[in-house]
Amino acid sequence: MPASAYINRIATAVPEHEVHQFYLRFAASMLAADRRRVFERMADLAGIESRYSCFAPALDPEGPSADLAGTFVRGAFPGTASRMGMFGAAAPVLAQKGVDALQLGDDASRITHLIVTTCTGFYAPGIDLDLMALCGLSNSIQRTMIGFMGCYAAINALKLSRHIIRSDPQARVLMVNIELCTMHLQETNELEKLLSFCLWGDGCAAALVTAEPHGILLEDFHCIVATERRHLMTWSIRDDGFEMYLSGQVPAAISEALQGSKDAILGDRPVEAIDLWAVHPGGRSVLDSVERALKLAPSALAKSREVLRRYGNMSSATFMFVMEEMLKAPSGLLGCGMAFGPGLTAETMLFQTVS
C-alpha cells in the first residue's frame, strides 16, 4: 500500500504593520459623503478587526499617500512592474519568517521537496530559490511553484504533497504559502472594489508534510468547478497591479455548488460525522453561505471566523492559518477542509487528527 501523508507541523507569520483601520479610512476618503456612509456601514459588517501589511501605512489616511514610503501617491499609484519589485523585496523576508517559525533546525537539510504557492507576485530567479538560500535548504531540493490559483492553492499544494509522500515515503515536503495582497491596492471610487480590497491582508504559512504518523492525516480530496459561474470571481493582471473582482453572487454560488456535491465532498458521510470544519474565510458572507448550505451549527466555523477577524483574507495562506488551529484538536477527529477561488472552484479535503 502507498504511504500515508501527514501534516506534522504548521507555522504562520504576518508582517509588523497592522493596517485595517487605516485602510478603511483611506478607502472611505476616495468616496463622496453619501457613498462613504454606505461603505462604512458595510465594512463594519465584514467581521474583520485587524489586517497586516508588509508596507508601513502613511501617518494620515486622508493625506497624499497611502504608504509611508510615498509609493502609493494619490493620482499616481505604481504600475505592475514597480509592484513586482516590491514583492521581490518583501516576500522572501516574510516567507523566511514563516519557515523559521517551523523551527526545523537541522531538519532543514533533510527537506527533499519545496512547494510554494502565491498569486500576488512573481519574479525569477524566484522566491523558491531565495528560500533555498535563506533557510538552509539543500541545493538539490526538488522545487515546485503553484502560481495564480488564488485562495484554494494551499489545498492543491497539500494534494501534491500527498502524491509525493505516497510515491516516496522518505520524502519530506516543505510547503510555503506566501501572499502580499495589500500590495495591489487600487485607486478607485467604485464602492464594490473598495469593499473587496478591505478584506485582504498579507501573510505566510509554512508546513512540514511527511509519512511520519502524527499531526493531521491527509485522507482524501475532491474538487468542484462551477464553470457556468466563472465570471463571478476573477484575478486579472492590469497595468496598475492585479485586480480582484468578487461578485456579490459568489456566496450564493458557493452554497449551490456545495449542496449539489455534498456526498462527494464528505465521502457519502452525513454532515454530523464531521467533527472539525476548516473553511477558508474568504469573507463573512462566504462563511455564512457554507454554514447555511451544510446546515452547520453556529460554532462549527468558529476557527475560520477567528482567523478572518484577526487577519482578514490572505489568499492561499489563510486556509493554513485555519489548519494550524486544527492541529490543536484532540486525536481521532474527522475533519473537512475547503477553500474557494476563480473558476468558480471549490477545493475540498477530508482529514483526521493523529496524536
Side-chain angles (χ1 to χ4, degrees):
M1 279 184 65
S4 296
Y6 299 81
I7 306 173
N8 297 145
R9 297 184 230 169
I10 300 173
T12 55
V14 293
E16 61 181 298
H17 307 295
E18 199 288 307
V19 296
H20 184 56
Q21 290 301 321
F22 175 91
Y23 277 129
L24 290 183
R25 292 176 61 190
F26 184 86
S29 73
M30 290 190 272
L31 295 167
D34 58 333
R35 302 291 281 170
R36 186 179 299 191
R37 287 190 291 272
V38 175
F39 170 83
E40 290 170 346
R41 186 165 61 250
M42 295 181 72
D44 284 344
L45 298 174
I48 300 171
E49 293 182 8
S50 53
R51 293 179 292 145
Y52 296 85
S53 175
C54 288
F55 313 105
L59 300 178
D60 180 5
E62 298 188 2
S65 175
D67 65 316
L68 195 60
T71 304
F72 289 83
V73 177
R74 293 179 192 266
F77 271 30
T80 302
S82 295
R83 297 181 197 229
M84 292 303 95
M86 295 165 64
F87 182 88
V93 176
L94 181 57
Q96 182 185 10
K97 183 178 178 182
V99 174
D100 285 349
L102 272 182
Q103 298 181 327
L104 293 174
D106 293 339
D107 275 354
S109 62
R110 299 174 57 207
I111 299 296
T112 59
H113 295 72
L114 172 64
I115 301 173
V116 180
T117 74
T118 188
C119 68
T120 48
F122 303 98
Y123 61 96
I127 193 168
D128 53 334
L129 291 169
D130 286 340
L131 283 171
M132 192 176 74
L134 292 168
C135 300
L137 306 178
S138 168
N139 286 346
S140 62
I141 194 172
Q142 298 186 42
R143 310 183 317 276
T144 301
M145 293 286 296
I146 297 178
F148 226 67
M149 295 195 84
C151 298
Y152 60 78
I155 294 185
N156 275 287
L158 289 171
K159 194 185 305 184
L160 177 56
S161 299
R162 179 172 177 263
H163 287 317
I164 291 169
I165 299 301
R166 283 164 65 87
S167 64
D168 179 7
Q170 302 306 311
R172 302 179 70 81
V173 182
L174 173 61
M175 188 179 95
V176 179
N177 316 104
I178 173 71
E179 304 287 7
L180 273 55
C181 303
T182 64
M183 186 179 67
H184 295 291
L185 173 65
Q186 302 290 313
E187 189 172 25
T188 179
N189 59 7
E190 295 182 38
L191 179 63
E192 193 172 49
K193 287 184 179 180
L194 289 171
L195 286 168
S196 174
F197 178 76
C198 289
L199 290 172
W200 303 101
D202 299 350
C204 177
L208 178 66
V209 182
T210 76
E212 295 176 4
H214 61 92
I216 290 175
L217 168 65
L218 300 174
E219 186 175 289
D220 199 11
F221 294 83
H222 182 74
C223 177
I224 309 162
V225 181
T227 53
E228 71 281 3
R229 300 286 190 266
R230 62 181 297 159
H231 62 285
L232 298 182
M233 186 186 302
T234 59
W235 185 227
S236 305
I237 299 176
R238 307 295 189 199
D239 292 341
D240 55 351
F242 299 175
E243 182 180 78
M244 167 58 73
Y245 171 71
L246 283 172
S247 167
Q249 299 176 50
V250 165
I254 288 173
S255 179
E256 180 183 330
L258 294 179
Q259 288 173 340
S261 302
K262 181 173 64 176
D263 290 343
I265 293 169
L266 302 182
D268 293 320
R269 298 174 178 88
V271 169
E272 294 75 20
I274 306 299
D275 303 302
L276 302 170
W277 293 92
V279 177
H280 167 72
R284 182 191 58 80
S285 59
V286 169
L287 293 176
D288 290 346
S289 72
V290 173
E291 184 178 302
R292 287 193 299 268
L294 300 176
K295 296 181 173 59
L296 302 179
S299 60
L301 302 184
K303 299 300 184 184
S304 295
R305 294 186 190 278
E306 179 66 5
V307 168
L308 180 67
R309 183 186 71 81
R310 295 177 61 193
Y311 304 109
N313 184 343
M314 301 165 287
S315 193
S316 72
T318 324
F319 177 75
M320 296 305 292
F321 275 62
V322 181
M323 289 301 293
E324 183 182 28
E325 295 302 312
M326 300 296 107
L327 271 176
K328 302 172 185 176
S331 181
L333 300 183
L334 177 64
C336 178
M338 57 183 69
F340 315 100
L344 186 70
T345 302
E347 287 284 354
T348 73
M349 70 179 207
L350 294 174
F351 62 90
Q352 292 187 43
T353 55
V354 180
S355 59

